């Protein structure tokens, strides 16, 4: 009789081909077998998954864990705790830290800072130095296969490509190196014009009108044209409006290599919530209206949205309480990502359990792995891949409170909201890293990557 390290027994496994009743056997950190339920097998540890689903470990391809330089907002220890509490076993961290991650040396230094503190496996998005764009050619697949580009500045985005000639040159360089550009697509000049006309937003009722969709639509159109011209693969982050969605779907249908992300907070909230809640819901891009939210949901469900990310961007309560434009945009969300998506798929869109599971697998596992070059190891429950698993109870419901928050900031925009779905047990490479509120060892690793698929 074969002996395994871990056996997840009695669950319904979510696989690339659908759901199937199976016991998942693991050895050496990878999935060894999907066994018929009840097959005689022995293991050093058995995890009971009866009456629950077994998801692949989820990937959040858009987090700001604030390392290095901004540890008063978040640490890798607290950020990774929040992640695994929400079923996330791999994160891809953004480069706008202090100092920003631009070079291989920056990536190596960041890895040294993280080593021994992470419950999740991780990769990095590299950044761009406007003074030395050619630095992207020095990046190896381990350093990054994706490069983050800001088209507008804000509190934590110091390196912005403002010169159209620089942006076009970056597109040429990225195409040459086979890099994916992940883009914050808002036009800074548009905001400057509006601020000169009416002033920067000082009250929540003015926030969305003075940080409008116009800037996003202009920026997305510019990026689509550059992708068409140079063949550079582009992934647009946190799309917020129905016009952007339509433009990006049309571009993809025309063969232009563009994909896009939707965030859980743009799927959950509307601009009316921003007015009601205040600066905690001040984001870039801003949260739009109900019709925009509905269009985003349709894009997620019908497969046009490639990924759903958290854009986990915690700030302290004091920072978010600053007056007017001094309050930094962003909110925590890695822990809330799965339950927010699940709640919306079931309640807002009315999908069946199995339909919702298929969407979760696609946008939170399979496609993020493809985007970041991790499909050989991550993104699905298959023999030979990393044993990253989530034992998930779809029927659980609770009102989310600040007491549940593991992010260092200690607050959540979802406080007081009823959320569905319960994460019971999380395994990362066969090791239990979260189980009913208890955490495992911080032995997450820096992942190598192949070319994006």
């Amino acid at each position: 009789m074969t002996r395994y390290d871990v056996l997840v027994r009695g669950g319904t496994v979510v696989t690339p081909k659908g759901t199937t009743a199976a016991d998942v056997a693991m050895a050496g950190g990878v999935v060894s077998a999907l066994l018929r339920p009840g097959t005689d097998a022995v293991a050093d540890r058995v995890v009971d998954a009866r009456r629950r689903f077994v998801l692949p470990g989820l990937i959040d391809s858009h987090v700001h864990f604030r390392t290095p330089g901004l540890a008063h907002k978040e640490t890798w220890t607290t950020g990774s705790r929040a992640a695994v509490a929400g079923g996330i076993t791999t994160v891809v961290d953004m480069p706008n830290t202090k100092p920003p991650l631009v070079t291989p040396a920056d990536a190596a230094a960041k890895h040294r800072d993280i080593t021994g503190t992470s419950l999740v496996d991780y990769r990095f998005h590299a950044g761009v130095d406007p003074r030395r764009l050619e630095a992207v050619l020095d990046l190896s697949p381990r350093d990054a296969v994706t490069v983050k580009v800001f088209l507008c500045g804000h509190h934590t985005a110091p390196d912005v490509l403002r010169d159209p000639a620089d942006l076009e040159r970056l597109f040429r360089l990225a195409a040459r190196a086979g890099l994916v550009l992940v883009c914050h697509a808002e036009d800074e000049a548009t905001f400057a014009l509006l601020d000169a006309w009416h002033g920067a937003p000082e009250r929540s009722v003015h926030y969305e009108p003075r940080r409008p969709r116009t800037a996003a639509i202009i920026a997305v159109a510019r990026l689509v044209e550059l992708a068409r011209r140079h063949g550079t693969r582009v992934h647009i982050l946190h799309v917020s409006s129905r016009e952007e969605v339509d433009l990006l779907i049309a571009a993809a249908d025309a063969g232009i290599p563009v994909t896009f992300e939707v965030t859980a907070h743009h799927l959950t909230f509307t601009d009316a919530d921003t007015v009601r809640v205040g600066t905690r819901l001040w984001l870039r891009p801003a949260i739009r209206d109900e019709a925009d939210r509905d269009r985003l949901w349709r894009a997620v469900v019908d497969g046009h949205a490639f990924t759903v990310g958290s854009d986990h961007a915690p700030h302290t309560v004091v920072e978010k309480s600053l007056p007017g434009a001094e309050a930094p945009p962003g909110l925590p969300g890695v822990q809330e990502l799965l339950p927010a998506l699940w709640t919306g798929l079931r309640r807002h869109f009315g999908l069946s359990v199995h339909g919702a599971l298929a969407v979760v697998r696609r946008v939170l596992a399979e496609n993020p792995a493809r985007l970041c070059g991790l499909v050989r190891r991550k993104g699905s429950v298959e023999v030979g891949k990393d044993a990253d698993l989530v034992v998930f109870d779809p029927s659980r419901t609770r009102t989310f409170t600040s007491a549940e928050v593991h992010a260092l900031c200690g607050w959540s925009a979802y406080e007081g909201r009823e959320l569905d779905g319960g994460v019971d047990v999380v395994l990362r490479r066969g090791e239990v890293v979260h189980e009913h509120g208890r955490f495992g060892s911080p032995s997450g690793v820096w992942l190598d990557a192949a070319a994006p698929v």
Side-chain angles (χ1 to χ4, degrees):
M1 185 181 298
T2 305
R3 186 176 189 90
Y4 301 102
D5 296 337
V6 184
L7 188 66
V8 175
R9 174 162 274 166
T12 300
V13 183
V14 181
T15 76
K17 296 181 179 179
T19 57
T20 183
D23 296 340
V24 186
M26 292 154 270
V30 301
V31 176
S32 300
L34 296 179
L35 306 173
R36 289 191 308 274
T39 299
D40 281 342
V42 293
D44 296 334
R45 179 164 186 176
V46 176
V47 175
D48 182 4
R50 287 175 297 176
R51 296 180 298 280
R52 287 163 291 174
F53 289 90
V54 181
L55 290 162
L58 304 180
I59 302 170
D60 190 344
S61 55
H62 189 170
V63 303
H64 300 264
F65 276 6
R66 305 302 193 192
T67 298
L70 296 166
H72 71 285
K73 299 175 187 283
E74 185 73 285
T75 68
W76 207 276
T77 296
T78 54
S80 67
R81 284 187 176 184
V84 295
I88 309 296
T89 56
T90 301
V91 300
V92 190
D93 193 58
M94 288 296 173
N96 46 315
T97 49
K98 293 184 178 181
L101 190 160
V102 176
T103 69
D106 296 331
K110 184 167 179 170
H111 166 60
R112 288 193 296 271
D113 287 343
I114 294 167
T115 299
T117 68
S118 182
L119 287 161
V120 294
D121 290 342
Y122 52 91
R123 282 196 55 68
F124 307 134
H125 298 289
V128 176
D129 183 348
R131 299 157 299 183
R132 196 167 69 90
L133 295 178
E134 288 77 9
V136 299
L137 299 178
D138 298 331
L139 298 167
S140 73
R142 189 180 193 200
D143 303 320
V145 293
T146 47
V147 173
K148 173 73 174 288
V149 184
F150 284 94
L151 272 65
C152 66
H154 59 74
H155 296 65
T156 62
D159 293 330
V160 180
L161 283 189
R162 295 181 171 88
D163 186 334
D166 285 344
L167 186 61
E168 182 142 19
R169 186 152 58 99
L170 178 63
F171 267 71
R172 291 197 298 268
L173 291 168
R176 172 179 161 190
L179 297 167
V180 178
L181 298 182
V182 294
C183 300
H184 182 129
E186 291 185 290
D187 181 66
E188 188 170 62
T190 300
F191 292 146
L193 280 172
L194 293 171
D195 287 353
W197 186 29
H198 282 309
E202 295 294 336
R203 298 171 54 203
S204 292
V205 71
H206 298 144
Y207 188 74
E208 196 280 334
R210 297 187 190 179
R211 293 292 178 261
R213 70 187 65 231
T214 316
I217 296 165
I218 291 169
V220 166
R222 182 182 305 146
L223 294 169
V224 165
E225 171 56 21
L226 288 169
R228 183 200 64 77
R229 191 180 305 161
H230 299 290
T232 314
R233 183 169 171 189
V234 179
H235 186 62
I236 308 297
L237 300 171
H238 39 48
V239 166
S240 63
S241 73
R242 51 194 182 271
E243 292 89 351
E244 292 167 82
V245 170
D246 291 344
L247 179 58
L248 288 164
I249 292 174
D253 285 350
I256 300 171
V258 294
T259 55
F260 66 94
E261 169 200 81
V262 175
T263 66
H265 43 262
H266 284 105
L267 292 169
T268 301
F269 303 104
T270 69
D271 54 351
D273 293 306
T274 304
V275 174
R276 177 179 57 83
V277 173
T279 53
R280 287 193 179 191
L281 278 179
W282 285 30
L283 305 170
R284 296 283 297 273
I287 292 169
R288 310 298 178 197
D289 64 29
E290 190 170 345
D292 293 305
R293 183 177 65 178
D294 290 344
R295 186 68 184 97
L296 297 176
W297 271 118
R298 289 198 304 276
V300 169
V301 172
D302 66 20
H304 286 121
F306 197 64
T307 61
V308 173
S310 72
D311 192 5
H312 177 79
H315 302 284
T316 67
V317 171
V318 170
E319 289 170 331
K320 290 296 283 185
S321 302
L322 290 171
E326 294 180 48
L331 53 77
V334 66
Q335 183 177 343
E336 300 92 323
L337 177 57
L338 172 58
L341 178 62
W342 183 259
T343 302
L345 289 170
R346 297 283 286 137
R347 294 192 187 194
H348 183 83
F349 216 84
L351 285 190
S352 68
V353 167
H354 289 274
L357 288 168
V359 173
V360 168
R361 180 193 59 78
R362 184 178 71 242
V363 298
L364 291 186
E366 178 185 331
N367 286 350
R370 293 171 62 194
L371 175 71
C372 299
L374 298 174
V375 290
R376 291 183 300 185
R377 297 186 59 176
K378 307 288 187 181
S380 59
V381 183
E382 295 182 83
V383 172
K385 289 196 174 185
D386 285 358
D388 297 346
L389 305 173
V390 180
V391 178
F392 178 68
D393 181 353
S395 63
R396 190 173 309 146
T397 297
R398 87 278 195 192
T399 299
F400 195 78
T401 70
S402 61
E404 296 181 59
V405 174
H406 292 287
L408 182 64
C409 64
W411 65 272
S412 171
Y414 295 84
E415 290 172 34
R417 295 186 75 92
E418 196 170 71
L419 296 177
D420 298 334
V423 172
D424 288 341
V425 185
V426 180
L427 298 97
R428 187 254 301 129
R429 286 181 284 108
E431 179 183 353
V432 175
V433 289
H434 183 258
E435 184 175 18
H436 303 295
R438 299 186 300 274
F439 295 101
S441 65
S443 53
V445 299
W446 187 15
L447 296 166
D448 291 326
V453 176

